[in-house]
Amino acid sequence: MKYISTRGLAPETGFAEACLAGLAPDGGLYVPKDWPRIEPARPGEPYAEVAARVLSAFAGDAVPASDMQSICRGAYASFAHQAVAPLTQWGAGTWLMELHHGPTLAFKDVAMQLIAKLYDYLLAKSGDMLTIVCATSGDTGGAAAAAFAGARQSRLVILHPHERVSPVQRLFMTTTGAANILNIATDGDFDDAQSIVKSLFADTGFSRTVNLSGVNSINWARIAAQCVYYATCQAQLRGAPIRFVVPSGNMGDALAGYVAARCGLLTGGFEAVCAVNENDALARLFSAGRMTRTSAVATPSPAMDISVPSNFERLLYEITGRDAGAVRATYAAYAQSGDTALPDGAPTKLSCSGLSAASINNGDTLTEMERFRQETGWLVCPHTAVGTALARRLPARDVATVVLATAAASKFPETVAAATGQDAPLPVRCEALKGQGEVFERVASDLGAVRARVLDFAR
Ligand SMILES: *Cc1c(COP(=O)(O)O)cnc(C)c1O
């Protein structure tokens, strides 16, 4: 299996290299050179077995099937629900797909648990030690910490904006006790932390010295791992046509649905609506056919406070018929002026892609959390509520509507209390977090200071 870059100027590469690199050297995102055909999941087929088949199809010769099976079994043993991504019905023809049964109660665990095991496997041969650096506004950092704690071939550095992540989110990052994890709290906001990380990646000397790698949502392994629950959902609904509603930020989750469909895993056809909060760049992209830069605003669903949906680049590549020149031109224009039309014909192709997007405002999100509780007795997290609110607005049709529940309510207790007046206590398996001491260091929001600290940690 070979991987190519959406910008067309990077040499084709293998599965391991594509995953470990994250971004391609030409600034593009990796995609498989050809979409593999994958057998749909069978009803009752265990999640880890489906995962092994899907990941093996993307890995090709890079990982023997039996090794991929042990990697996947290990990864999903950490989930508190046997089905990993169970479906629960909440209304007529409407389901939640619960993706929050992993160690840190958000769907990021589904990919991260797998990636950490995959990296240890891929790097064991060479003995290389990676330094993974990520900036987080909340969930990615915790999921990465839980997954990489004690990893043999990588150390992890997490940057979070000091006092701007929720207390529960911070506990997941800072209490692993693992020696291979460094938590840095930067003075500044998430965008500042993110731009420091981007500068570290752009510094090729530094990057080589520490063997730098990333696990953000443009990483191909994350997309591959996230295809799996689309497949198991299709099996649970016995091949019926499904309309997915996907709470979206960087669009990695929704893109995984598109990829699942391209590989034959969605036998009932493909339709997914990206549900975004007041950061509606994605919705405007679909409606206006333009990419327009705005700055992110804070909402009750912080994991979706994203102004540039990075995985859109993969979709653009596909809908232009894999025209890397058109992708390069679009992103060059966007980088320069912050506002550019999609290439000719792209808006029409976009509307035929099966994907669409719509925005839900803050007030409606909080109202939905309470309405959902009254109707079902269940608490949902604010991200999931953006999805269920949107699901209610979709035209009634004879399809199953599946909203991806991307985090547990207990991860956002402050918002849940404000919207519903209810407590959302952490599950018993997470209560231990509170007894553990938090370990993190405050560092100035300054490239030089962070760079020096990471160098020292990687020594
Ligand atoms: C990351 C995240 C999202 C957004 O997912 P993308 O793949 O970036 O679109 C939605 N909800 C929660 C809870 C998340 O952590």
Side-chain angles (χ1 to χ4, degrees):
M1 179 61 78
K2 291 288 176 208
Y3 285 80
I4 53 176
S5 163
T6 51
R7 303 218 180 159
L9 300 177
E12 63 179 49
T13 187
F15 173 75
E17 296 74 19
C19 293
L20 293 167
L23 204 65
D26 60 358
L29 311 191
Y30 282 116
V31 289
K33 189 171 179 195
D34 300 294
W35 293 112
R37 289 306 293 177
I38 312 177
E39 274 299 301
R42 295 179 298 277
E45 188 180 8
Y47 190 93
E49 306 302 310
V50 182
R53 289 201 295 106
V54 171
L55 269 293
S56 287
F58 288 124
D61 300 339
V63 183
S66 58
D67 291 345
M68 193 62 97
Q69 255 176 358
S70 17
I71 292 170
C72 292
R73 285 183 191 148
Y76 296 113
S78 62
F79 278 61
H81 199 291
Q82 178 78 33
V84 178
L87 287 184
T88 46
Q89 190 161 10
W90 59 277
T94 49
W95 282 263
L96 285 181
M97 175 155 56
E98 298 176 3
L99 302 176
H100 48 68
H101 294 286
T104 72
L105 312 178
F107 88 94
K108 306 278 194 305
D109 288 326
V110 179
M112 217 63 90
Q113 287 288 317
L114 188 128
I115 288 180
K117 301 221 161 21
L118 184 66
Y119 279 18
D120 266 357
Y121 175 89
L122 294 173
L123 293 162
K125 284 179 215 151
S126 64
D128 285 350
M129 188 78 185
L130 282 188
T131 303
I132 295 168
V133 177
C134 78
T136 183
S137 59
D139 289 336
T140 300
F148 282 93
R152 292 185 302 276
Q153 308 296 145
S154 22
R155 54 178 86 82
L156 172 68
V157 180
I158 304 169
L159 271 68
H160 75 266
H162 187 54
E163 286 176 346
R164 295 190 198 216
V165 299
S166 86
V168 175
Q169 287 180 320
R170 198 175 75 193
L171 280 176
F172 278 117
M173 294 186 252
T174 57
T175 58
T176 63
N180 68 327
I181 297 182
L182 170 66
N183 272 291
I184 295 180
T186 52
D187 306 320
D189 62 14
F190 170 70
D191 288 331
D192 299 332
Q194 174 89 343
S195 87
I196 291 176
V197 170
K198 282 192 180 148
S199 307
L200 291 177
F201 275 86
D203 181 340
T204 45
F206 171 82
S207 170
R208 219 169 298 127
T209 309
V210 304
N211 209 0
L212 191 62
S213 182
V215 287
N216 56 9
S217 62
I218 48 108
N219 189 297
W220 176 255
R222 280 182 64 171
I223 306 290
Q226 288 167 199
C227 290
V228 177
Y229 43 75
Y230 286 92
T232 57
C233 179
Q234 180 72 87
Q236 287 176 82
L237 293 175
R238 312 274 156 169
I242 303 173
R243 174 166 65 185
F244 292 98
V245 180
V246 190
S248 295
N250 265 322
M251 211 192 163
D253 218 356
L255 188 94
Y258 175 86
V259 170
R262 289 298 298 257
C263 297
L265 294 167
L266 294 177
T267 50
F270 176 60
E271 189 179 349
V273 190
C274 300
V276 296
N277 62 25
E278 292 189 3
N279 295 287
D280 62 352
L282 197 54
R284 283 183 290 105
L285 239 170
F286 277 87
S287 63
R290 298 190 73 82
M291 298 198 348
T292 308
R293 186 180 299 130
T294 48
S295 46
V297 296
T299 73
S301 47
M304 302 174 3
D305 292 349
I306 286 168
S307 57
V308 186
S310 10
N311 271 290
F312 182 76
E313 179 162 346
R314 288 190 166 107
L315 184 61
L316 184 62
Y317 186 57
E318 294 303 320
I319 63 169
T320 56
R322 297 200 152 195
D323 183 345
V327 173
R328 277 201 309 275
T330 306
Y331 279 91
Y334 179 70
Q336 209 178 25
S337 72
D339 180 50
T340 183
L342 295 181
D344 282 347
T348 318
K349 296 260 178 51
L350 200 53
S351 63
C352 305
S353 66
L355 285 154
S356 59
S359 155
I360 298 290
N361 70 30
N362 295 348
D364 290 350
T365 303
L366 299 176
T367 306
E368 171 65 18
M369 290 171 75
E370 173 60 3
R371 177 172 175 192
F372 198 90
R373 184 189 72 82
Q374 284 179 5
E375 286 181 8
T376 65
W378 302 331
L379 299 174
V380 286
C381 91
H383 309 79
T384 306
V386 170
T388 57
L390 181 58
R392 293 180 198 274
R393 295 188 190 170
L394 298 176
R397 281 216 339 260
D398 193 18
V399 293
T401 299
V402 174
V403 179
L404 276 56
T406 51
S410 57
K411 203 159 183 186
F412 301 91
E414 299 84 2
T415 311
V416 171
T420 69
Q422 304 287 307
D423 277 343
L426 281 175
V428 179
R429 69 191 152 100
C430 302
E431 273 294 327
L433 286 180
K434 294 189 171 158
Q436 243 99 38
E438 289 194 59
V439 182
F440 66 90
E441 294 173 19
R442 287 190 57 188
V443 175
S445 184
D446 170 72
L447 177 60
V450 173
R451 192 178 181 279
R453 186 63 190 97
V454 178
L455 268 176
D456 189 45
F457 182 63
R459 198 154 280 147

